[in-house]
Amino acid sequence: MAAITVPDISLNDGNTIPQLGFGVFQIEPKDTARAVGKALEVGYRHIDTAEMYGNEAEVGQAVHASGLDRRDVFVTSKLNNGFHRPDDARRAFEQTLQALKFDYLDLFLIHWPLPTRYDGDYVSTWKVLEEFQRDGRARSIGVSNFQVSHLERLAAEADVVPAVNQIEVHPYFGNEEVRAYGRTHNILTEAWSPIAQGRVLDDPTIVDIAEQLGRTPAQVVLRWHVQRGDIVFPKSTTPKRIEENFQIFDFELDDATMDRIAGLDKGGAGRQGPDPDTFDYVPS
Ligand SMILES: NC(=O)c1ccc[n+]([C@@H]2O[C@H](COP(=O)([O-])OP(=O)(O)OC[C@H]3O[C@@H](n4cnc5c(N)ncnc54)[C@H](OP(=O)(O)O)[C@@H]3O)[C@@H](O)[C@H]2O)c1
């Protein structure tokens, strides 16, 4: 089998990011190093973690144990919801670097905007991420779960345009308005829960397309995302699926098939996760 090359995409700050990565949400710490180790062995070079996932240390262990050069693995983490105040954010970022045993992160994100917390002030938090980029400890900075109004406010009040916005996107929830804002403002969309945590995989349309192409439903859906230009990092602790999800660069979906999948969008009713306008969870 020919070696698979994952495309690198250019970010608005001149850095690049592998379009396919590996997500570690809901992977128990005890299982994380093994799953990430398997992903690195298969060829993934982009890992998406978060302080909230409780497995940063194990992600770091797997990267160090892989023998790969640190520069060859793109690692993202995110600021947890309890740490939006500037001094807390500075401390939390240091702790993230310590947990991973890294001296820099490739990408650091505000995990949720929390517009109903902190007096609605995610701008001061964002300005602290700008500091991390200036001092070189975060090569790129971005946001997650930001709606158009939140991005507009950053555009008006901050200096740096986020490199990415990591948002829920899958065939049942196209999140088109936020994606469109990203396209016109040079903010790449990262599609979280790209297979809706498995929920879209037995959809009759997806199954039909998969059968026609001799691919699995997960491969079809992941391929749809990458042809739309978004970044994806499916999660799995199953070695066979970790391999399967990587095999998406040797086939293509035609325009009619892309449209058929886009036609499954249920709008807001298709959301799997919380609505960022109202989500206000802060760990105690
Ligand atoms: N920023 C945010 O707020 C946010 C929110 C959610 C997720 N994320 C990020 O996005 C990543 C991906 O999202 P996600 O973990 O929620 O869900 P996902 O990747 O859409 O789906 C993961 C689920 O699908 C199963 N699965 C994976 N590959 C499969 C395949 N080929 N065939 C059948 N089932 C398969 C996995 O099962 P097994 O593990 O049992 O194989 C797991 O239950 C996360 O890990 C995280 O990095 C970010």
Side-chain angles (χ1 to χ4, degrees), residues 101-259:
K101 297 199 166 66
F102 289 169
D103 49 18
Y104 71 91
L105 270 183
D106 296 280
L107 177 62
F108 192 62
L109 310 180
I110 299 180
H111 205 147
W112 288 89
L114 304 176
T116 63
R117 294 268 183 185
Y118 303 103
D119 300 320
D121 180 15
Y122 40 79
V123 179
S124 304
T125 314
W126 176 248
K127 290 187 175 178
V128 179
L129 267 66
E130 293 182 346
E131 287 174 16
F132 304 154
Q133 187 174 39
R134 271 197 304 275
D135 70 25
R137 291 181 303 157
R139 298 265 161 100
S140 296
I141 53 173
V143 293
S144 178
N145 299 300
F146 273 47
Q147 304 280 56
V148 170
S149 62
H150 308 142
L151 296 169
E152 280 173 339
R153 187 153 157 222
L154 289 190
E157 298 180 37
D159 295 326
V160 177
V161 177
V164 306
N165 186 17
Q166 183 177 128
I167 54 173
E168 180 176 353
V169 184
H170 47 72
Y172 288 164
F173 184 54
N175 215 339
E176 298 303 348
E177 196 195 337
V178 184
R179 288 184 71 248
Y181 183 94
R183 266 198 308 282
T184 50
H185 293 82
N186 210 4
I187 301 169
L188 279 176
T189 293
E190 297 191 324
W192 65 248
S193 292
I195 54 174
Q197 301 196 329
R199 202 161 49 103
V200 294
L201 301 182
D202 52 9
D203 182 280
T205 301
I206 304 289
V207 171
D208 182 49
I209 295 166
E211 279 169 3
Q212 275 176 32
L213 296 173
R215 292 286 168 160
T216 68
Q219 288 173 328
V220 166
V221 174
L222 294 170
R223 179 71 208 175
W224 174 77
H225 284 285
V226 302
Q227 283 186 216
R228 280 156 54 97
D230 291 352
I231 296 159
V232 279
F233 22 80
K235 168 264 173 187
S236 179
T237 46
T238 314
K240 230 176 125 286
R241 291 174 173 172
I242 297 174
E243 286 170 16
E244 174 187 326
N245 295 345
F246 198 66
Q247 316 284 326
I248 58 168
F249 295 103
D250 56 350
F251 74 109
E252 244 178 74
L253 306 177
D254 61 21
D255 291 348
T257 306
M258 291 293 292
D259 291 346

Side-chain angles (χ1 to χ4, degrees), residues 255-276:
D255 291 348
T257 306
M258 291 293 292
D259 291 346
R260 262 183 94 192
I261 300 174
L264 300 175
D265 194 351
K266 300 174 201 276
R271 263 192 205 283
Q272 171 90 2
D275 183 336

